[in-house]
Amino acid sequence: MLVIGIGGLELAPEEREWLQHPAVSGVILFKRNFASRDQVADLSAAIRAAAPRPQLLCVDQEGGRVQRFRDGYHVLPSLEGFGKLYERDREAALALAREHAWLMASEIRATGVDLSFAPVVDLGRGNLAIGDRAFHADPAIVAEFTRAYVAGMHEAGMAATLKHFPGHGSVLEDTHFDDAVDPRPLSELQAHDLVPFAAGIAAGAEAVMMAHVKYPAVAPEPAGYSPRWIRDILRRDMGFGGIVFSDDIGMAAAESAGGVKARIDAHLDAGCDVVLVCAPALVPDSLRAVDDRAAPAPDALAALAGRRHADWHALAADARYDGAREALRRFEQGVA
């Protein structure tokens, strides 16, 4: 299956054709696809109307520097601040993280989008791509936040996606631009980076997104197309039965697998259920790359579809909505 990116604020004729391909099961939206709440809601409806099968509509709405929809949405703080608060007031930090999750997911669901790829459960240990997107450096603390965040998303009717498995936080390089290699043995990864993922799986997270990081002491290829990481460790050893996403195959670190077809084949053959093709320029080659594969079932991603859809009027009337926004405002002002 593929989740693809599109170019602008409306569906182009070529993009309507892409949605007819049986391998396309969803669309990921970015800042380039957003002008206003009404516009992105119309775009979401147009995507669903144009496709002959259900589409999973996705976005990265983490907060901080990764928030694709802004005008008309609460400006969400980055996760790192909750980790700093935890050191002073554990209960308040966990409660605020849960409200952050609920608020983020509720606004995205009110827009007609199914899924925000969240939470980031990487350790905050200096990675250039992760930075303040991580809760904390301590795996036990990140595990607590993971449970709270998954619960908040579920309360809003959104599935949770743990990323970036098996942990992107402990290497320096940003895999958008560079290869990243983590030389540690599996035992050390299990004792540290895998702890929050185990907590999230136990909390009922429905999806996991893979990292484009290579762990040569565990497997020769990057985790995103490693059968050992996906089939043996994530599924067999950790008991994960949900949906496995690749990270974007347009990122520099994914190029180690070869051209577009080689990248897609490597990820799917290793056990990824869904490959992310975020750059519209890569979509035509990606569609040709999967022509020889069996089409996924029309409801293959049904477990990730939004479970409730409160419109903006209903959300505004919800007392929790005002309460969550005020709590986060106070937190950012240093009052919490």
Side-chain angles (χ1 to χ4, degrees):
M1 285 181 283
L2 304 179
V3 166
I4 63 170
I6 58 174
L9 303 178
E10 298 178 350
L11 274 177
E14 180 185 33
E15 293 164 347
R16 292 178 181 275
E17 290 300 314
W18 295 347
L19 293 171
Q20 310 312 306
H21 195 289
V24 175
S25 297
V27 174
I28 180 168
L29 302 175
F30 288 89
K31 183 179 179 180
R32 64 179 182 256
N33 306 120
F34 176 79
S36 69
R37 289 192 329 203
D38 288 344
Q39 171 271 324
V40 81
D42 289 346
L43 176 59
S44 299
I47 291 168
R48 296 192 193 281
R53 70 195 66 80
Q55 294 292 299
L56 186 77
L57 301 187
C58 315
V59 68
D60 290 307
Q61 188 85 344
E62 300 170 13
R65 57 194 168 94
V66 181
Q67 180 169 346
R68 311 306 189 195
F69 304 163
R70 289 187 177 266
D71 186 23
Y73 296 75
H74 190 85
V75 178
L76 297 162
S78 61
L79 302 185
E80 181 182 66
F82 299 127
K84 293 177 179 177
L85 177 61
Y86 182 100
E87 295 169 3
R88 307 191 308 272
D89 189 336
R90 171 182 175 273
E91 295 303 323
L94 294 173
L96 274 172
R98 189 168 183 155
E99 291 307 286
H100 185 286
W102 180 87
L103 176 61
M104 176 278 293
S106 295
E107 290 191 331
I108 293 301
R109 291 295 303 122
T111 308
V113 173
D114 295 292
L115 189 69
S116 172
F117 287 122
V120 170
V121 301
D122 302 301
L123 304 182
R125 295 186 174 179
N127 179 263
L128 293 172
I130 302 304
D132 63 1
R133 298 164 68 193
F135 287 110
H136 203 277
D138 186 315
I141 294 174
V142 179
E144 288 191 78
F145 277 118
T146 301
R147 288 187 285 268
Y149 210 90
V150 169
M153 292 180 71
H154 284 173
E155 288 161 3
M158 182 180 285
T161 305
L162 310 174
K163 62 184 188 184
H164 306 82
F165 186 85
H168 198 319
S170 299
V171 293
L172 177 65
E173 293 83 8
D174 182 343
T175 51
H176 291 86
F177 309 109
D178 296 296
D179 290 339
V181 179
D182 189 330
R184 293 175 296 161
L186 178 59
S187 59
E188 187 171 344
L189 292 161
Q190 289 171 324
H192 295 274
D193 299 65
L194 292 183
V195 170
F197 289 95
I201 291 168
E206 294 87 350
V208 165
M209 182 181 289
M210 303 300 297
H212 285 318
V213 179
K214 187 180 294 185
Y215 308 83
V218 182
E221 60 279 293
Y225 56 92
S226 166
R228 173 140 170 73
W229 275 115
I230 299 171
R231 299 187 191 280
D232 296 347
I233 297 172
L234 177 59
R235 292 218 182 269
R236 184 193 66 198
D237 298 345
M238 299 181 71
F240 180 66
I243 301 297
V244 177
F245 286 88
S246 79
D247 207 343
D248 178 19
I249 62 160
M251 293 164 62
E255 295 175 3
S256 60
V260 169
K261 179 169 176 54
R263 291 177 225 173
I264 290 174
D265 285 342
H267 284 84
L268 294 176
D269 291 344
C272 282
D273 300 296
V274 186
V275 173
L276 286 182
V277 185
C278 298
L282 297 182
V283 173
D285 284 346
S286 298
L287 298 180
R288 287 188 288 270
V290 295
D291 277 339
D292 58 351
R293 288 183 173 269
D299 61 349
L301 298 183
L304 304 184
R307 293 188 285 274
R308 290 188 297 279
H309 179 66
D311 62 24
W312 282 99
H313 294 294
L315 182 59
D318 188 330
R320 187 174 181 180
Y321 186 55
D322 282 341
R325 290 188 297 167
E326 178 60 23
L328 289 170
R329 275 194 292 265
R330 289 172 61 82
F331 164 68
E332 291 193 278
Q333 293 165 359
V335 180

